[in-house]
Amino acid sequence: MSDTRREFIAAIDQGTTSSRCIVFDRDGRIVSVGQKEHEQIFPEPGWVEHDAAEIWANVQEVVAEALERAGITREDVRALGITNQRETTLLWDRATGEPVHNAIVWQDTRTDALCRELGRNVGQDRFRRETGLPLASYFAGPKIRWLLENVEGLRERAEAGEILFGTMDSWVIWNLTGGPDGGVHVTDVTNASRTLLMNLRTLDWDPRICESLGVPMAVLPEIRSSAEVYGEARGALAGVPVASALGDQQAALFGQTCFSPGEAKSTYGTGTFLLLNTGSEAVNSYNGLLTTVGYRIGDQDPVYALEGSIAVTGSLVQWMRDQMGLINSAAEIETLASSVEDNGGAYFVPAFSGLFAPYWRSDARGVIAGLTRYVTKAHIARAVLEATAWQTREIVDAMEKDSRVELTALKVDGGMTSNNLLMQCISDVLDAPVVRPMVAETTCLGAAYAAGLAVGFWPDTDALRANWRRAAEWTPRMEADVREREYKNWLKAVERTMGWLEEEN
Ligand SMILES: Nc1ncnc2c1ncn2[C@@H]1O[C@H](COP(=O)(O)OP(=O)(O)OP(=O)(O)O)[C@@H](O)[C@H]1O
Ligand SMILES: [Mg+2]
């Protein structure tokens, strides 16, 4: 090592359920972690909100905690990276820094009707060519429009330039760099690619779409690369360059070092997101996937990705714990599911916010199908885990159709990968090996890598690849005829979720 002083990169992961700060060393190893959950606010069925002030307070707390646990000061931190829950939408007052409303979370379905209306006679692919996305309540643009229409006087203030929009990357960076006192208002290409407002080819806001959605361009942040210095932090990290921003799923792609076209990863957290690097080509999907920006390093060309998004996976386990009370901890789902041989004929399709990829059906709602008097809570636990596996299978099938690349192995990460039964089940239904790296916190790692590249802490992506180490691997054990039968049953259950909501009014 050339330098004598110990130096580190810190990454903030502002997630859906918690905020984390992780300190990494030069080998990409975790030195310390600070983490804090925030409140999930459910004002009405289908609505999900976060208190952005609470989130900012938590972010500051976890940063201090991580530094303290590592026994380092801000002088030891070479750069700070940011990663975040994507699409979650906030508008705040430029002068005071106060949010004008709770943040509307990506899972929130309140803009369903608005999206249908925006699709008009063209349908949900109205902006797909420009944005790579279907018109769905998942994305930020319609959420901005909802806020402008539903918060008293907000549209006028927005048009007068008093209001700023941001996803959580923008909110955190703006506050870190001074807030009302000179904070920089930026986002990165990956986060911007989830708004329905950015043109994938120009990597800039699309004025025509902004107009169609009724979003004044004055509220929008500047779109920057994923790895570059946006500004210097103030406060506890005073002087540390803020040097990366990536949506959490793109950060995981980066952290898994999927730098070549054809490399893919799947992250199992609140939801599950499978991203395939497609290189310099933005591949259109004809099978219900999203075209998105994977990352952009400095002024290099952007790298695109195909994405399969599943709204509910880990959150179904949380639901079993918090709403149903069938387990006391997330880990217990494995114990319970392992107490039986199979699902006993039950299938659980958790279409709580409609169905995301590959269906994009907002009229779907959850079902448990195949119930008989025989089924126990253990069978349901098994069905819960299998739901994650089958949803993965559907995405992989769509990806193979769109990319014509056959999956040879799947790199996985995220909180659910500590569940062995689930990992085995995924390998079984995909009929492919599943591999997990040593650092399963790939989201933070990816943000740290990007920040480290931006300040020259790591020389290039090859140096990062050398850090990737396999920790565990699962290989398929399921008979082909069982796989086929179960997949067919799963698809039948999926069909039963559709059309549950009928068009209101
Ligand atoms: N042993 C387990 N088996 C099944 N699910 C688990 C297990 N441990 C954790 N989970 C689930 O994993 C999820 C947490 O994983 P992770 O922290 O990666 O989520 P996340 O989506 O990244 O969250 P955030 O967006 O807040 O960062 C929770 O939904 C939890 O229910
Ligand atoms: Mg996360």
Side-chain angles (χ1 to χ4, degrees):
M1 208 173 278
S2 57
D3 53 341
T4 46
R5 212 170 97 224
R6 295 207 316 147
E7 290 186 313
F8 304 90
I9 302 287
I12 294 170
D13 174 5
Q14 199 306 291
T16 309
T17 53
S18 73
S19 303
R20 272 173 263 221
C21 177
I22 303 188
V23 174
F24 292 94
D25 67 14
R26 203 176 287 273
D27 298 325
R29 276 191 297 243
I30 293 178
V31 178
S32 68
V33 184
Q35 179 167 6
K36 191 163 188 202
E37 293 200 5
H38 55 266
E39 192 189 351
Q40 305 294 316
I41 305 164
F42 306 111
E44 289 187 31
W47 292 28
V48 190
E49 298 181 353
H50 290 159
D51 174 351
E54 178 192 6
I55 283 179
W56 170 236
N58 288 0
V59 165
Q60 292 168 278
E61 221 176 285
V62 297
V63 166
E65 189 175 52
L67 292 192
E68 194 189 304
R69 287 191 180 153
I72 61 173
T73 67
R74 61 189 161 81
E75 271 104 46
D76 305 316
V77 181
R78 273 285 299 281
L80 175 65
I82 312 294
T83 176
N84 58 290
Q85 53 169 327
R86 306 175 301 174
E87 300 100 8
T88 295
T89 298
L90 185 71
L91 294 176
W92 70 93
D93 186 304
R94 179 199 287 276
T96 64
E98 286 203 34
V100 300
H101 190 275
N102 280 336
I104 303 183
V105 178
W106 58 275
Q107 300 140 322
D108 189 293
T109 57
R110 79 185 66 183
T111 56
D112 270 1
L114 172 61
C115 288
R116 272 197 304 274
E117 188 191 311
L118 286 165
R120 275 186 267 145
N121 29 21
V122 191
Q124 74 182 163
D125 286 337
R126 181 171 173 202
F127 304 121
R128 195 187 264 275
R129 201 160 36 89
E130 296 88 339
T131 65
L133 312 173
L135 257 170
S137 59
Y138 179 24
F139 306 110
K143 298 183 199 287
I144 304 177
R145 158 83 166 258
W146 188 94
L147 287 167
L148 292 173
E149 277 173 5
N150 289 278
V151 180
E152 178 84 32
L154 191 58
R155 180 170 289 282
E156 292 68 40
R157 289 167 67 199
E159 273 159 10
E162 293 167 22
I163 300 296
L164 302 178
F165 153 74
T167 38
M168 300 321 277
D169 54 322
S170 305
W171 172 241
V172 170
I173 294 171
W174 187 80
N175 279 298
L176 274 170
T177 55
D181 183 19
V184 293
H185 188 218
V186 295
T187 187
D188 90 300
V189 281
T190 67
N191 277 293
S193 74
R194 320 293 296 189
T195 56
L196 262 173
L197 302 172
M198 189 189 84
N199 185 305
L200 272 182
R201 276 88 195 171
T202 64
L203 301 181
D204 208 348
W205 303 118
D206 186 312
R208 198 184 59 88
I209 299 178
C210 291
E211 165 103 46
S212 306
L213 259 61
V215 173
M217 295 186 71
V219 303
L220 300 175
E222 186 188 347
I223 303 176
R224 305 277 288 267
S225 273
S226 318
E228 66 166 283
V229 176
Y230 310 119
E232 272 189 7
R234 310 262 191 97
L237 287 172
V240 176
V242 182
S244 77
L246 292 139
D248 53 6
Q249 301 308 323
Q250 283 89 342
L253 185 75
F254 211 83
Q256 286 271 25
T257 67
C258 294
F259 299 131
S260 302
E263 291 189 284
K265 68 85 203 179
S266 188
T267 302
Y268 292 90
T270 308
T272 287
F273 302 85
L274 205 160
L275 272 76
L276 170 74
N277 180 324
T278 62
S280 55
E281 195 193 348
V283 175
N284 290 322
S285 175
Y286 298 96
N287 294 284
L289 303 176
L290 309 178
T291 309
T292 201
V293 181
Y295 55 87
R296 183 178 185 206
I297 302 172
D299 53 14
Q300 295 175 21
D301 287 340
V303 170
Y304 293 95
L306 270 175
E307 170 175 324
S309 334
I310 309 168
V312 178
T313 54
S315 57
L316 180 57
V317 175
Q318 283 174 341
W319 180 85
M320 289 285 281
R321 184 192 64 191
D322 303 338
Q323 259 102 324
M324 292 297 108
L326 290 171
I327 48 174
N328 292 311
S329 69
E332 247 179 56
I333 192 93
E334 184 170 4
T335 326
L336 185 56
S338 300
S339 69
V340 285
E341 298 266 287
D342 56 30
N343 59 23
Y347 300 83
F348 195 154
V349 188
F352 294 166
S353 345
L355 285 169
F356 282 18
Y359 302 103
W360 300 105
R361 289 284 297 258
S362 58
D363 61 342
R365 283 299 178 269
V367 298
I368 304 177
L371 292 181
T372 60
R373 186 69 177 78
Y374 174 79
V375 170
T376 65
K377 64 179 177 180
H379 295 119
I380 301 290
R382 198 139 188 138
V384 161
L385 297 181
E386 290 179 1
T388 294
W390 288 119
Q391 288 178 280
T392 305
R393 169 67 190 265
E394 290 184 284
I395 301 290
V396 166
D397 285 359
M399 219 150 256
E400 289 182 348
K401 282 188 207 143
D402 274 335
S403 69
R404 287 188 218 95
V405 180
E406 200 176 319
L407 184 79
T408 49
L410 186 64
K411 284 180 167 181
V412 298
D413 53 72
M416 291 184 97
T417 60
S418 61
N419 190 315
N420 268 302
L421 180 61
L422 172 63
M423 293 302 109
Q424 182 59 49
C425 184
I426 292 170
S427 175
D428 285 343
V429 309
L430 294 181
D431 196 21
V434 166
V435 292
R436 190 184 62 203
M438 211 68 97
V439 178
E441 287 279 358
T442 51
T443 303
C444 267
L445 183 61
Y449 278 169
L453 283 179
V455 298
F457 183 76
W458 286 293
D460 52 31
T461 51
D462 286 345
L464 304 178
R465 260 187 211 283
N467 288 340
W468 196 95
R469 276 178 201 87
R470 180 170 59 195
E473 175 160 358
W474 295 265
T475 48
R477 293 202 297 238
M478 191 182 251
E479 304 285 344
D481 55 330
V482 177
R483 185 182 307 119
E484 257 153 60
R485 182 195 68 214
E486 290 298 306
Y487 195 14
K488 220 172 118 208
N489 286 342
W490 164 260
L491 292 172
K492 270 201 291 188
V494 169
E495 240 165 69
R496 282 164 174 73
T497 67
M498 300 201 189
W500 179 260
L501 283 196
E502 293 171 32
E503 258 182 62
E504 300 99 306
N505 312 325

